[in-house]
Amino acid sequence: MTQSTVLVTGAGGFVGSAVVRALVAAAHEGSARLADGSQVERVVAVLRPGGVTDRLETVTSSPLLTLVEADVTEPTLEDALAQHRPTAVVHTALPATAHERFDRERTLAPLRAAFSALAKVEGARIVHAGSAWTLAP
């Protein structure tokens, strides 16, 4: 059976941390599977530089979890994607300034980076969790 890596952006946030905790728990049980049937063997949690891990404290000691600091609006996200080569990405990150002022390019940059990197991995998938307003014209 093939084994997969899932990368989660926004892992320090409310939704992202819940996804990470659930994936790590299911992976420990052997029940975390992707749509293609591959088993999740590793979870890469992307936190913004200096981001807090409080919401992840129950899983940070897991050997299945890798914590990565990367700004999702900078090339560091592309570096993380290239280094860990995930089969799937759960994108829950939103630039901190998005609610203060809408900057379409800065808000969409992480999504574009994820799509670009995943296009190089055959069969890769992405789940975008967030508000549809970030995609609105």
Side-chain angles (χ1 to χ4, degrees):
M1 173 169 302
T2 36
Q3 307 228 320
S4 298
T5 295
V6 177
L7 184 139
V8 181
T9 65
F14 183 74
V15 173
S17 62
V19 170
V20 169
R21 290 190 309 270
L23 277 170
V24 170
H28 273 291
E29 296 171 359
S31 61
R33 302 230 187 280
L34 298 180
D36 66 359
S38 63
Q39 184 172 344
V40 175
E41 70 168 0
R42 192 164 58 110
V43 178
V44 178
V46 178
L47 301 159
R48 71 175 182 268
V52 295
T53 59
D54 297 357
R55 292 184 174 127
L56 299 174
E57 65 185 20
T58 59
V59 294
T60 52
S61 62
S62 171
L64 304 178
L65 178 66
T66 302
L67 295 175
V68 173
E69 283 193 0
D71 183 331
V72 297
T73 63
E74 301 292 332
T76 53
L77 177 62
E78 292 177 37
D79 295 343
L81 289 162
Q83 179 183 354
H84 297 286
R85 300 194 43 77
T87 310
V89 170
V90 179
H91 179 60
T92 69
L94 184 64
T97 58
H99 298 291
E100 298 166 11
R101 59 176 170 53
F102 183 69
D103 179 341
R104 184 175 179 78
E105 288 309 308
R106 185 164 172 79
T107 302
L108 292 178
L111 196 55
R112 287 191 183 115
F115 280 133
S116 176
L118 285 177
K120 300 171 187 164
V121 180
E122 186 177 335
R125 303 277 190 256
I126 188 167
V127 174
H128 177 257
S131 176
W133 72 263
T134 62
L135 303 175

